[in-house]
Amino acid sequence: MGLVISYIILAIYSVALLLIFFYSLAQLNLLVNYLGHKRQNQTAPKFNLLDAKEIPHVTIQLPVYNEEYVMGRLLENISKIEYPKSKLEIQVLDDSTDESVVETAAKVEELKKSGLDIKHIRRTNRKGFKAGALKEGLEIAKGEFIAIFDADFMPSGDWLKKTVIYFKDPEIGVVQTRWGHINREYSTLTRIQAFALDAHFTLEQVGRNAKGHFINFNGTAGIWRKECILDAGNWEGDTLTEDLDLSYRAQLKNWKFKYLEDVETPAELPVVISAARSQQFRWNKGGAENFRKSVMSVISAKNISFKTKFHGVMHLLNSSMFLCVFLVSILSIPAMYIKALYPQFDIVFNLLSFFVLSTIILFICYWFTYKSIQGSSFDNFVDYIKLFFTFFSVALGFSLHNSIAVLEGHIGKRSEFVRTPKFNLNNLTDSWKGNKYLTKKLSPNMIFEALLMCYFLFGMYSAIPLNDFGLFPFHFMLFLGFGFVFTKSLTARA
């Protein structure tokens, strides 16, 4: 019986490692694309905004829900967008249920008096959540192009001048910009989030877009052609990542996406782990939901290449890598004992050790994205090494939480769109404590995370009697990662 269980454990362990390896190879291919793109001269037809006849009408949509701390900052920033007022409309799509509604209404009225075409649009219910709000706003939008900003984003005054010009190409359906991070250095948590997002907004978005593979509108800091939204079937609220859903439907209908790495749109990162948890859960569950919804359409599409299909499937499976990582982590300790008890599996373990290459590949890929933003000096490389392993450890610590999100997405369990609380912290000394939007509930996940911290401490101890230290660094990072997530989650309830 023990031998049968060992076979099952090793089979699951091996498949999970293989999927992680395929993911790392896909990332390596994106790195090659990224570096090749950097060497190319990019040209594209552009609107001449000095010619009044070429200036298109734009609607800016601001979907908000209970954003008391950042609404003033958002509206003040958007009011400074440099664009002819006769060609600009602003929709504040306000689904709020708290007192922020009153302050928002007052600010909107104040901006109206300055000559801005700005509307405060309220709904009687939150049907479809953010997607529903965007869809309702679209019905009355004047613009032929629709820019979207979440409440924590602060585009520069010339943002529209840098983005709308690319729509002179009638095949372009979306222009997406790179996210910046106004509070990158606030804490270890914000540095880790910035690190991960920078990799997505450089390596992944550029690497896919450079070869015509599918990318995604990131929900904010981008601009759509209204015709593209309608042609692709409009916003739908049946997944938690409506942006990824509409992106794939649009590209399956041959609309092109333009990604602008050199246009940065600053935003605020979650500074407390409960906020990061809600954001991670929504993104990862939404990714799995979109895999269920779109993967067969991608595979069966006649109008895209095999390589685009491969990258599309891997893109839709991105969040599912957390499930693979979690399985590898949990099974790594039984695998140690199997290795000691059954010498006949030695060849299997020798082969599995090859998959350490996945980590090396990701280390190389993330270095190129890190140095593109932070610089390539020796000091930066040392900082990168520390940050990479910190990021890796904390990502492992999030693997239980994110795996639950992925499983819910794959089995079709529906859940409410949970917003990420915003804080409006302007410097390192500002405190998030007292934020009324923070959840105070003790999550059952936290208890399991504490148990997993102890489990991987046992894994480190097991290396001693088994005289097998090959997985000791991995178990150490898991111990640190689950310890970080657990202790920070306790602190966030203060």
Side-chain angles (χ1 to χ4, degrees), residues 89-107:
E89 174 192 37
I90 300 169
Q91 293 182 337
V92 183
L93 307 174
D94 190 357
D95 282 357
S96 300
T97 56
D98 66 357
E99 57 269 28
S100 67
V101 173
V102 177
E103 296 175 14
T104 300
K107 185 65 178 176

Side-chain angles (χ1 to χ4, degrees), residues 38-278:
K38 285 289 192 181
R39 293 190 292 266
Q40 294 173 3
N41 291 320
Q42 304 298 316
T43 58
K46 298 172 186 175
F47 284 124
N48 176 14
L49 298 185
L50 297 177
D51 183 349
K53 295 178 182 177
E54 290 201 32
I55 300 175
H57 205 132
V58 175
T59 295
I60 296 176
Q61 292 187 321
L62 307 174
V64 298
Y65 173 68
N66 293 351
E67 304 286 7
E68 178 179 326
Y69 299 102
V70 294
M71 278 308 301
R73 183 182 74 181
L74 170 68
L75 293 173
E76 191 63 35
N77 185 263
I78 294 298
S79 70
K80 295 175 182 176
I81 292 285
E82 300 161 4
Y83 206 74
K85 288 184 179 180
S86 61
K87 296 281 189 172
L88 181 65
E89 174 192 37
I90 300 169
Q91 293 182 337
V92 183
L93 307 174
D94 190 357
D95 282 357
S96 300
T97 56
D98 66 357
E99 57 269 28
S100 67
V101 173
V102 177
E103 296 175 14
T104 300
K107 185 65 178 176
V108 168
E109 286 303 312
E110 177 188 328
L111 292 174
K112 273 184 181 177
K113 293 174 183 176
S114 72
L116 274 180
D117 182 3
I118 182 169
K119 298 177 178 62
H120 188 206
I121 300 173
R122 301 272 296 144
R123 297 195 297 165
T124 55
N125 63 66
R126 290 185 69 208
K127 182 180 179 183
F129 305 110
K130 180 180 176 180
L134 293 171
K135 187 174 182 178
E136 283 202 21
L138 191 70
E139 291 176 2
I140 56 172
K142 298 175 183 175
E144 55 185 304
F145 301 106
I146 312 294
I148 300 171
F149 298 103
D150 284 347
D152 53 324
F153 279 75
M154 297 187 293
S156 61
D158 60 354
W159 192 91
L160 278 178
K161 294 177 181 178
K162 291 178 177 178
T163 55
V164 76
I165 53 176
Y166 290 96
F167 286 105
K168 187 162 188 177
D169 180 348
E171 295 184 333
I172 297 282
V174 175
V175 174
Q176 173 68 52
T177 65
R178 177 171 61 85
W179 294 5
H181 318 291
I182 60 175
N183 58 338
R184 177 193 294 271
E185 299 301 326
Y186 185 85
S187 66
T188 299
L189 180 64
T190 56
R191 286 192 289 273
I192 290 166
Q193 292 175 90
F195 181 81
L197 286 168
D198 286 346
H200 169 69
F201 280 99
T202 53
L203 172 73
E204 295 184 349
Q205 290 288 65
V206 176
R208 292 190 183 104
N209 196 223
K211 294 296 183 181
H213 304 321
F214 287 10
I215 66 168
N216 61 297
F217 167 66
N218 292 103
T220 177
I223 180 168
W224 285 80
R225 188 185 297 270
K226 184 177 182 180
E227 179 190 352
C228 173
I229 298 175
L230 297 175
D231 182 55
N234 214 325
W235 297 103
E236 295 180 358
D238 56 348
T239 73
L240 292 179
T241 45
E242 72 293 323
D243 45 6
L244 178 60
D245 172 34
L246 185 59
S247 297
Y248 265 66
R249 285 188 279 120
Q251 288 166 109
L252 284 167
K253 298 206 76 172
N254 292 323
W255 287 99
K256 293 180 181 178
F257 281 32
K258 178 74 176 177
Y259 178 67
L260 303 178
E261 183 188 8
D262 58 338
V263 180
E264 180 182 19
T265 309
E268 179 182 317
L269 294 161
V271 297
V272 64
I273 206 159
S274 61
R277 276 182 180 276
S278 65

Side-chain angles (χ1 to χ4, degrees), residues 382-425:
V382 173
D383 290 340
Y384 167 74
I385 293 172
K386 293 186 287 187
L387 187 56
F388 177 82
F389 286 104
T390 304
F391 158 74
F392 204 96
S393 298
V394 176
L396 291 171
F398 267 106
S399 62
L400 169 66
H401 178 77
N402 290 343
S403 292
I404 293 170
V406 167
L407 286 171
E408 286 190 9
H410 281 306
I411 66 175
K413 180 181 177 182
R414 300 301 301 275
S415 59
E416 185 174 317
F417 185 103
V418 179
R419 63 179 287 282
T420 304
K422 312 302 188 306
F423 300 86
N424 195 12
L425 304 183

